[in-house]
Amino acid sequence: MLRILALLCVVALPAKAQDVAGEFDYYVLSLSWSPNWCALDGDSRNSPQCEDDKDFGWVLHGLWPQYENGWPADCRHTFRNPSRADTSAMADIMGTSGLAWHQWNKHGSCSGLSPDDYYALARLAYEQVTRPAVFRRLEDPITLPASLIEEAFMRENEGLDADEITITCRSQRIQEARICLTRDLELRRCGSDVIRDCTLDDALFDPVR
């Protein structure tokens, strides 16, 4: 009897609401420092992004629709999926076509935009942010405070405030710079679940390969 009651309780639980494409509050523009990603993941995957003839620095990880708290993912939509040509065309700023495909399916599908329009908007967002050139001039791995990355971005991008950008770390390395944007790609304050910065004073930072 107890097992039957437990089963009935599970069946009676409401299903998780499906995220709806186009219903979100703002975007997070996520920029990944490619040399650190290659050291942590890319090299072991033999990613083309990490080949010797590539010189990626800050690459576009994604443009993510965001709620004020949380985010939608894997939304149902009525658009055709992006073609190989579509995703390959994004590899110059995303590192690989595979990442472009994954980002569309997980995040772009929730934007309410077609793949072409989503990729165009993501490229526009990426290009309107100045990536500090000083980091490309490094010749050797260094350790630095994560706050230094944030300060460099704010110095290079007029109007960018500390509550509109966050720096993330992973495995003692600088991972990403995440900048919060309105749906019209204007700077805005990050939500409480995004705004938390990495606090490392000695984060590893590899030079461009």
Side-chain angles (χ1 to χ4, degrees), residues 45-185:
R45 300 178 186 177
N46 294 316
S47 172
Q49 180 176 328
C50 306
E51 292 174 355
D52 291 340
D53 61 340
K54 300 295 191 298
D55 65 345
F56 288 115
W58 294 105
V59 298
L60 173 64
H61 183 175
L63 182 68
W64 303 336
Q66 198 83 9
Y67 301 135
E68 292 298 340
N69 187 24
W71 60 89
D74 304 303
C75 295
R76 295 176 182 172
H77 61 87
T78 58
F79 299 109
R80 66 163 180 83
N81 284 322
S83 67
R84 288 187 178 182
D86 293 332
T87 57
S88 294
M90 293 298 291
D92 64 317
I93 61 173
M94 298 189 79
T96 66
S97 60
L99 176 60
W101 171 265
H102 171 75
Q103 289 297 308
W104 157 256
N105 277 281
K106 184 173 182 179
H107 299 288
S109 63
C110 296
S111 67
L113 302 174
S114 69
D116 287 345
D117 289 342
Y118 172 73
Y119 286 145
L121 188 69
R123 184 177 291 275
L124 179 61
Y126 177 81
E127 291 177 347
Q128 76 177 22
V129 172
T130 300
R131 281 88 59 199
V134 63
F135 299 121
R136 294 190 62 87
R137 294 197 289 268
L138 295 173
E139 296 182 357
D140 299 299
I142 62 171
T143 60
L144 44 65
S147 60
L148 189 66
I149 306 293
E150 183 172 281
E151 291 166 5
F153 270 90
M154 290 192 294
R155 189 163 50 247
E156 295 291 334
N157 293 274
E158 184 177 359
L160 178 62
D161 296 327
D163 59 1
E164 297 166 342
I165 179 173
T166 188
I167 306 301
T168 68
C169 296
R170 179 180 160 218
S171 299
Q172 299 296 117
R173 293 177 181 269
I174 296 295
Q175 180 188 32
E176 294 185 345
R178 297 176 180 175
I179 298 172
C180 298
L181 304 169
T182 68
R183 294 175 64 129
D184 295 323
L185 302 188

